[in-house]
Amino acid sequence: PIDLWVGKVDYKLPLSKAFSMETGVKATRSAFINDNKVENWINGSWVIQELFSNYSKLNESIYAIYNSVDWKLSEQTSLKAGLRYEKTQSTLKDRNDSTLVARDYGLFFPSIFVNHNLSSTSSVSLAFSSRITRPTFNDLAPFTIFMDPTSFVTGNPNLQPVISNSVKLDYKRNAVLWSV
């Protein structure tokens, strides 16, 4: 019951030996319908057990556009920088079409990497990046799988993505790398 659509287009433009630019767009759309019923035979008829039954409809769209540059500033120094924008929209609805979870946000994710060769055997680099780590579709999808009469697995549609910003400084000499 999962419908999934993914598409992307990337383009790289070398403007010179020392400078190139890359751009692209990406899109992911997914839809999931779960109609899970647990019934017990009681007094000659099937009775739905509401505690273990669920109907959920999850729709999610993620769109991204990015641009990056790769620039050799000198024989010793290079720079890579980029900026990505992502737009996320997701809704989770119940059997009555009431919205249980709604997300609608757009975020920018910059990155920059600078490397400088100090000699033929040593270099120093500095990097900054901002990233998003989303829960997987299976982590979010409000399905229920019964493993046996006493055990089940289910997704949690209230999980949120994690945004991380990292800074890294490296010094490399021969085959040894020091990193902070």
Side-chain angles (χ1 to χ4, degrees):
I2 299 174
D3 293 321
L4 187 63
W5 179 87
V6 178
K8 74 175 193 169
V9 175
D10 296 309
Y11 180 71
K12 187 169 186 175
L13 178 64
L15 296 170
S16 71
K17 289 183 179 181
F19 187 84
S20 67
M21 186 169 54
E22 187 173 349
T23 191
V25 294
K26 299 176 183 182
T28 303
R29 297 193 62 166
S30 53
F32 175 84
I33 296 176
N34 181 55
D35 191 0
N36 180 46
K37 292 180 189 169
V38 175
E39 299 176 328
N40 285 343
W41 185 259
I42 300 174
N43 296 328
S45 64
W46 290 105
V47 177
I48 295 176
Q49 301 300 301
E50 294 296 335
L51 182 62
F52 300 109
S53 300
N54 182 23
Y55 176 90
S56 302
K57 181 177 173 183
L58 177 66
N59 289 302
E60 183 174 61
S61 300
I62 302 169
Y63 305 101
I65 184 168
Y66 76 94
N67 194 355
S68 65
V69 296
D70 194 344
W71 192 4
K72 187 164 184 162
L73 300 170
S74 69
E75 285 298 317
Q76 293 81 23
T77 308
S78 63
L79 170 98
K80 294 180 182 181
L83 182 63
R84 187 175 79 250
Y85 176 78
E86 289 191 13
K87 174 74 172 172
T88 300
Q89 296 172 308
S90 62
T91 57
L92 174 66
K93 296 188 175 188
D94 65 10
R95 185 177 307 280
N96 300 318
D97 210 33
S98 298
T99 301
L100 303 174
V101 176
R103 292 186 187 94
D104 188 355
Y105 56 88
L107 300 168
F108 285 96
F109 299 98
S111 64
I112 187 164
F113 176 81
V114 179
N115 185 69
H116 182 75
N117 293 322
L118 301 169
S119 69
S120 62
T121 59
S122 66
S123 65
V124 64
S125 62
L126 178 64
F128 168 80
S129 66
S130 181
R131 301 193 182 281
I132 185 169
T133 304
R134 290 183 179 81
T136 66
F137 190 79
N138 287 339
D139 291 336
L140 291 172
F143 62 83
T144 302
I145 298 174
F146 285 90
M147 308 304 268
D148 59 46
T150 60
S151 302
F152 67 92
V153 177
T154 185
N156 181 353
N158 292 310
L159 293 175
Q160 297 293 323
V162 173
I163 308 295
S164 62
N165 295 307
S166 64
V167 177
K168 185 177 175 188
L169 177 64
D170 293 334
Y171 174 73
K172 182 179 175 187
R173 183 168 178 93
N174 297 320
V176 178
L177 175 68
W178 289 273
S179 185
V180 179

